Each structure stands twice: as C-alpha cells, then as structure tokens.
Amino acid sequence: MANIKSQIKRNRQNEGRRLRNKAVRTSLKTEAKKVRTAATSGDSDGLQDELQRAARGLDKAVSKGALHKRAAARRKSRLGRAANATAKGQ
C-alpha cells in the first residue's frame, strides 16, 4: 500500500481505467465473435454489417486509448480476411 498521497490517487485512477479498458476489450471480443459466426453462417449482408460494426468498435477503442492503433489495424485485417475467405468458399 502506498504512503504517498499522489500515489494513492494514481492507484485509484489506474483501477478505474483498468475496469473501463476491460469492458471495452470484452465488447471487442464479442463483436469479433459476431463477425466470425456471421461468416460461418453464410449471411453476406449480416456479415458486412457486423464487420463494419466491429471495425467501428476497434477504431473507438483506439481513440479511447484502450487499444494500440496497430493492434486494431491487425484485428480489422484478420476479420476482413476471415470474411473474404468464407465468402470465396461459398
């Protein structure tokens, strides 16, 4: 436990940020899962909607500082490739 007043405040702030970032990351995982399930189901219209929603969520996470911009770009790329692979396969 910290004895310095500023460090006590910093610990409180870090905990709040950790919980906020955890919520954002959890929602990103859910969005990615929705994209993958739409890709396997073969619903092309739903797939594009889910892909767009996931990309928007990733961009928001970057702007909030919960995710690095290259990590978001990598995830968007992987989701897009998975969507295209299933579209070609059908």
Side-chain angles (χ1 to χ4, degrees), residues 1-65:
M1 185 65 195
N3 293 327
I4 300 168
K5 211 172 188 181
S6 61
Q7 189 58 47
I8 292 169
K9 179 179 177 181
R10 177 66 60 196
N11 289 342
R12 277 197 323 265
Q13 290 174 333
N14 287 340
E15 182 63 16
R17 289 188 183 113
R18 184 185 71 83
L19 294 174
R20 194 172 327 123
N21 289 341
K22 183 179 176 184
V24 170
R25 285 193 302 262
T26 303
S27 67
L28 291 177
K29 288 179 190 176
T30 305
E31 294 295 331
K33 187 176 181 180
K34 287 179 184 177
V35 171
R36 288 194 184 93
T37 54
T40 56
S41 71
D43 179 24
S44 61
D45 293 335
L47 174 62
Q48 288 303 316
D49 290 340
E50 291 298 335
L51 192 59
Q52 190 175 19
R53 197 172 293 129
R56 187 167 189 259
L58 286 165
D59 290 336
K60 279 188 171 186
V62 169
S63 69
K64 290 179 182 178

